[in-house]
Amino acid sequence: MSPTPAAHILEGFSTIGPGIYFQDNSDHEQCKDSDTTPEVILIFGWLGAQPRYLRKYTHAYTKLYPNASQIVVRCNVSTLWSTINTIQQRLMPVIHALKALHCLPSSGSSAEQRRPRILTHVFSNGGSLQMTCFGHMLQQKYGSISAQWSFTSALILDSCPTPVQLNTVKHAFSVTVQNPVVRYGALAFVSTVYLTRLCLSLLFGKRMRLTLDSHIDMGNPCVLPWMGVHTPRLYLFSRKDTSSPWEEVMHHAKTAKECGMDVRCELFEESEHVAHIRVEPERYWSSVQDVWVVAISKEEDEQRMLQITPA
């Protein structure tokens, strides 16, 4: 078997599926119930994001939370013409990794087991599409996990979500593909595929990846079944982002807040699409840490309530 090209490898991670990487730190001695850091960091990358770009985030998380295991899911360009069933099959290794980390219920689950702590970080509409698809998989398999088992969680939304439209898909794809000759040919291909898939969906009712309204699904407080209305959300977006207009992201955040969700926003002024850490890294990571502190405070409040509630 030929070796995997270095450009498609995440340093320090094992490849557990096509575009899926796993760093297992569950054996670290400091990973105890008394620790307040995430147990798992689940990252859904943007469309076409190469490992060398995602590495900036995994390295930062390793510095912030060295005992946390990390699962990284790339959004390959092939997602544009894949059905939901195909994407769900590709995402199965993520379920296997979460099971290995004891973060999903099983027949041997016990109420005495530790409380899983999961921080989910989603980039752009590509990441949103894959995360909502993954959420549907978990719902079908487990139902409402939070009803069976207590979780501590937080959700980071970088440059998303917005309605998935052909123009925004083309713009995101044009940024991803650098070669101008390949870019123009690819854009023509993407347009053809998008319109063909849309027509097939309308004619036969077969839900295709590009026609899924993921921004609506992202408005569900239980978008991943261990989340709920009290799961803190952090929206990170910029006025200069032409792929995910800031007004659309702001509208989504406002709607979520009106529905009772715990919402925080960081509006950047000068950063491009999924490039906020290049312009203001300290502000970016400080916001991420702050929202995780909120998640931990909610866990502590819940534990105090359980202690004072009569049996």
Side-chain angles (χ1 to χ4, degrees), residues 21 54 71-72 79 111 124 127 136-137 142 169 172 191 215 262 291:
Y21 310 94
L54 295 172
I71 303 171
V72 179
T79 302
S124 191
H136 288 304
M137 288 177 65
Y142 297 104
V169 171
S191 300
H215 70 291
D262 187 346
V291 80

Side-chain angles (χ1 to χ4, degrees), residues 120-158:
T120 306
H121 199 140
V122 185
F123 293 90
S124 191
N125 286 325
S128 298
L129 286 166
Q130 293 217 105
M131 193 189 84
T132 55
C133 189
F134 183 62
H136 288 304
M137 288 177 65
L138 291 174
Q139 289 283 2
Q140 293 167 7
K141 189 172 180 65
Y142 297 104
S144 178
I145 295 175
S146 59
Q148 306 174 47
W149 207 0
S150 288
F151 277 70
T152 298
S153 64
L155 177 59
I156 314 297
L157 300 115
D158 186 321

Side-chain angles (χ1 to χ4, degrees), residues 154-292:
L155 177 59
I156 314 297
L157 300 115
D158 186 321
S159 308
C160 65
T162 62
V164 179
Q165 299 173 349
L166 178 58
N167 286 339
T168 55
V169 171
K170 289 170 65 176
H171 183 273
F173 197 82
S174 65
V175 172
T176 302
V177 180
Q178 302 299 319
N179 186 303
V181 176
V182 176
R183 183 190 307 140
Y184 290 126
L187 288 175
F189 176 71
V190 167
S191 300
T192 302
V193 168
Y194 184 96
L195 294 173
T196 301
R197 295 301 198 191
L198 179 60
C199 291
L200 288 174
S201 294
L202 295 174
L203 288 173
F204 302 108
K206 188 175 181 65
R207 295 173 74 202
M208 309 306 292
R209 195 69 178 130
L210 280 177
T211 59
L212 182 65
D213 291 326
S214 66
H215 70 291
I216 297 176
D217 286 344
M218 292 292 284
N220 178 0
C222 303
V223 59
L224 291 178
W226 56 74
M227 296 181 179
V229 70
H230 299 301
T231 299
R233 291 180 168 217
L234 173 63
Y235 290 79
L236 301 156
F237 51 105
S238 173
R239 293 185 192 274
K240 289 189 69 175
D241 189 342
T242 54
S243 294
S244 296
W246 71 271
E247 299 94 339
E248 296 283 358
V249 181
M250 179 71 82
H251 176 73
H252 195 279
K254 181 180 178 182
T255 302
K257 191 168 187 176
E258 290 172 349
C259 291
M261 292 183 234
D262 187 346
V263 172
R264 288 158 178 77
C265 294
E266 287 291 332
L267 176 58
F268 296 84
E269 298 292 335
E270 299 298 329
S271 49
E272 302 290 345
H273 188 62
V274 294
H276 316 309
I277 62 166
R278 288 192 302 201
V279 179
E280 296 186 70
E282 292 183 2
R283 178 185 173 191
Y284 188 98
W285 291 113
S286 177
S287 299
V288 170
Q289 289 176 278
D290 287 347
V291 80
W292 183 252

Side-chain angles (χ1 to χ4, degrees), residues 34-65:
S34 58
D35 190 11
T36 58
T37 62
E39 180 180 0
V40 179
I41 297 169
L42 180 57
I43 299 174
F44 290 90
W46 63 94
L47 177 67
Q50 296 298 317
R52 66 178 180 274
Y53 299 123
L54 295 172
R55 195 174 294 126
K56 298 176 182 178
Y57 297 91
T58 60
H59 281 184
Y61 271 126
T62 298
K63 291 180 180 179
L64 290 176
Y65 308 118

